[in-house]
């Protein structure tokens, strides 16, 4: 059966599947890769694309799931912190939204994280968002 909501079970399964060897996640959350970023275009998507994000000791890991069939990984990004050239974390238009912009040699992404239960059943979204944003902010 196809998942209709972003959820903890799929998030754990997908992120664990692509976790770098020897790493463990410090924070996990779901997000939206904003349309128009170079990485999304290579996936053939011209609209926003859902994803699960994980932060480990040395990596930002992203399982890209698409917009309709969200129980299958369509793409994956495993980005070592030392390869990230620039990162910014800003407040979005909603109080519970954060916009992450990051750039590395091969990847340019704009990701929206929001603590909103409408599109997801992820229990610790707020804590995951905070952990991811704190880790990325500390890389500057």
């Amino acid at each position: 059966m196809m998942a209709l909501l972003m959820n903890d079970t799929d998030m754990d399964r997908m992120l664990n599947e692509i976790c770098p060897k020897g790493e463990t996640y410090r924070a996990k959350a779901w997000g939206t890769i904003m349309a128009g970023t170079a990485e999304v275009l290579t996936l053939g998507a011209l609209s926003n694309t859902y994803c699960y994000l994980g932060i480990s000791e040395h990596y930002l890991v992203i399982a890209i799931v698409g917009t309709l069939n969200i129980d299958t990984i369509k793409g994956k990004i495993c980005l070592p912190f030392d390869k990230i050239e620039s990162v910014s974390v800003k407040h979005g238009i909603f109080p519970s939204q954060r916009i992450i912009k990051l750039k590395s040699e091969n990847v340019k992404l704009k990701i929206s994280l929001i603590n909103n239960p409408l599109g997801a059943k992820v229990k610790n979204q707020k804590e995951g968002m905070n952990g991811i944003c704190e880790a990325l902010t500390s890389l500057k």
Side-chain angles (χ1 to χ4, degrees), residues 5-71:
L5 295 172
M6 304 297 279
N7 62 77
D8 287 315
T9 305
D10 283 346
M11 179 169 65
D12 290 340
R13 176 179 55 83
M14 291 180 201
L15 287 176
N16 288 339
E17 193 179 302
I18 60 177
C19 187
K21 194 170 176 69
E23 298 279 314
T24 52
Y25 290 114
R26 301 185 327 205
K28 295 184 259 187
W30 72 275
T32 307
I33 299 175
M34 309 298 274
T37 59
E39 191 68 30
V40 176
L41 295 177
T42 64
L43 294 166
L46 297 173
S47 61
N48 293 346
T49 303
Y50 294 120
C51 64
Y52 293 110
L53 295 90
I55 285 281
S56 69
E57 291 85 359
H58 304 102
Y59 290 86
L60 169 63
V61 179
I62 304 173
I64 302 165
V65 297
T67 47
L68 297 175
N69 184 2
I70 59 171
D71 55 4

Side-chain angles (χ1 to χ4, degrees), residues 61-106:
V61 179
I62 304 173
I64 302 165
V65 297
T67 47
L68 297 175
N69 184 2
I70 59 171
D71 55 4
T72 308
I73 296 176
K74 288 179 77 177
K76 45 192 158 199
I77 299 170
C78 198
L79 195 56
F81 290 157
D82 61 4
K83 298 287 188 215
I84 296 175
E85 296 167 5
S86 66
V87 62
S88 73
V89 179
K90 295 191 175 9
H91 288 268
I93 55 173
F94 306 108
S96 65
Q97 183 184 35
R98 299 295 173 271
I99 304 293
I100 299 168
K101 289 183 184 177
L102 66 87
K103 195 175 129 195
S104 75
E105 189 178 321
N106 302 318

